[in-house]
Amino acid sequence: GSHHQIDVTIGDQARVYGSMVLARARRDPFTADDARLLAQAAPYFAHALSAPPCTAEPGDAAEVAAAVIDRKGHVRLADTEYGRLSW
């Protein structure tokens, strides 16, 4: 089970959307750096929750790709379209 928890309120100037709670085992407590990174990410979650619903349908012509890139600019995770669209 989890022993350590950290949370952040997700909201913007218009409203509060909720709270995100992360949990870790007793042997792996959260650090001040973890709290800082979570606080930095909160506006992105608020932006995602405030966006209008997506109206795209499967098969629409838009070309979309997704990737996770670390602070040094290295791609850590990417979908199949990322390689094709990013070069």
Side-chain angles (χ1 to χ4, degrees), residues 1-70:
S2 65
H3 179 72
H4 299 283
Q5 289 188 340
I6 189 171
D7 66 88
V8 65
T9 300
I10 306 297
D12 55 27
Q13 293 83 6
R15 65 181 283 202
V16 172
Y17 298 99
S19 179
M20 181 184 308
V21 179
L22 304 178
R24 284 189 177 166
R26 181 182 308 265
R27 68 183 179 282
D28 192 17
F30 289 100
T31 66
D33 194 44
D34 293 329
R36 183 183 56 77
L37 291 171
L38 184 58
Q40 288 177 345
Y44 297 98
F45 287 101
H47 178 74
L49 292 170
S50 67
C54 178
T55 58
E57 296 291 330
D60 281 354
E63 293 187 301
V64 177
V68 176
I69 301 170
D70 67 18

